[in-house]
Amino acid sequence: MTQWCPGCGNFAILKVMQEVLAELQAEGTLLENIVLVSGIGQHAKIVDYLKVNSFYSLHGRAVAAAEGIKLANPKLKVIVFVGDGDSYGEGLEHLIFAAKRNIDLTVVVHDNRVYALTTGQYTPTSPLGYKGRSTPTGTHEHPLNPLELLLAAGATYLARGYNARTEQLKGLIKEAILHPGFALIDLLQVCVTFYNQYDHYNQRVYELTGHNPADYNEALSKIKEWDYNSDAKIALGKFYQVERSTFDSFFSGGDTVDRGQLIKTLLERMV
């Protein structure tokens, strides 16, 4: 039994992830070579419902933990689930530097634009005037555009999904996992209890078509079309994808490193 509210966008994301993992396994990826990392928040429960190796991190530290896992064993596929407060607030510095380094991680941000676990405080992507537990008369801060920030930081794959567009979302997540480098999906995940945005999104979202994701300026233009505050149309899909050397490739150690023996030696020193 899951612990999410009826109607929570996380149900759809869980189903999409089950299908993505099944497809990857059918195509030859060993599930034992996949590690899920989560932060703290309602999103984090997703790793409890997937039969894959996983690691719960501290609040705001999921990306840092994932970087450590990836550097320790570059052969692993490391997928990070974080919330908007968890990653765009507490963990922002880790996120920016992971993009800057182009470390081979897939980061899926459950962006419900509210701190749902703690019952409704505003986050970095909440709109101006959002009223919650910490801002009963409305926030006076403009929201952050995370995709614009991550593009400038050096991310090599950027996309936006929506939990009510599952077929598109499945394709984006699978593509991000297979992308060799830092990939981030800003996933509009509706919190029906504290910030129900289904009507708002359903009237504004559209799928990117005829877009060249290899063009930085074109990606920036599309990313800035909606600033997370205006009533503009909201593009869904892949904004940007290029390839360049990954940070972890410089530390692979080739096939000469006996990782099992190194870990055994380290543990013996600690005992």
Side-chain angles (χ1 to χ4, degrees), residues 88-191:
Y88 300 149
E90 285 89 342
L92 183 61
E93 183 177 345
H94 297 298
L95 196 64
I96 289 173
F97 274 81
K100 175 177 177 290
R101 292 165 179 154
N102 193 35
I103 188 163
D104 186 21
L105 300 176
T106 301
V107 181
V108 179
V109 182
H110 296 228
D111 190 356
N112 54 25
R113 308 172 70 196
V114 68
Y115 279 99
L117 186 66
T118 49
T119 69
Q121 294 82 6
Y122 77 100
T123 74
T125 54
S126 300
L128 182 69
Y130 169 84
K131 294 181 180 180
R133 290 292 182 91
S134 59
T135 51
T137 60
T139 175
H140 300 295
E141 297 181 23
H142 286 272
L144 181 73
N145 185 333
L147 294 174
E148 183 178 0
L149 178 64
L150 271 296
L151 180 68
T156 52
Y157 183 100
L158 289 170
R160 181 187 292 127
Y162 175 30
N163 68 258
R165 298 289 186 274
T166 54
E167 276 305 305
Q168 182 194 41
L169 180 60
K170 186 170 76 172
L172 291 173
I173 291 179
K174 185 177 178 182
E175 189 175 61
I177 292 171
L178 297 175
H179 172 72
F182 181 85
L184 180 136
I185 297 174
D186 185 61
L187 205 173
L188 301 177
Q189 175 253 308
V190 176
C191 172

Side-chain angles (χ1 to χ4, degrees), residues 25 27 34-35 51 57 76 92 102-103 107 113 118 122 133 140 157 159 188 194 210 217 222 225 228 249 251 257 267:
Q25 186 179 31
E27 293 167 4
I34 293 177
V35 180
K51 294 180 180 179
S57 80
L76 296 175
L92 183 61
N102 193 35
I103 188 163
V107 181
R113 308 172 70 196
T118 49
Y122 77 100
R133 290 292 182 91
H140 300 295
Y157 183 100
L188 301 177
F194 296 107
N217 290 324
K222 280 296 178 185
E225 201 172 65
Y228 291 75
S249 66
F251 301 91
V257 177
L267 291 174

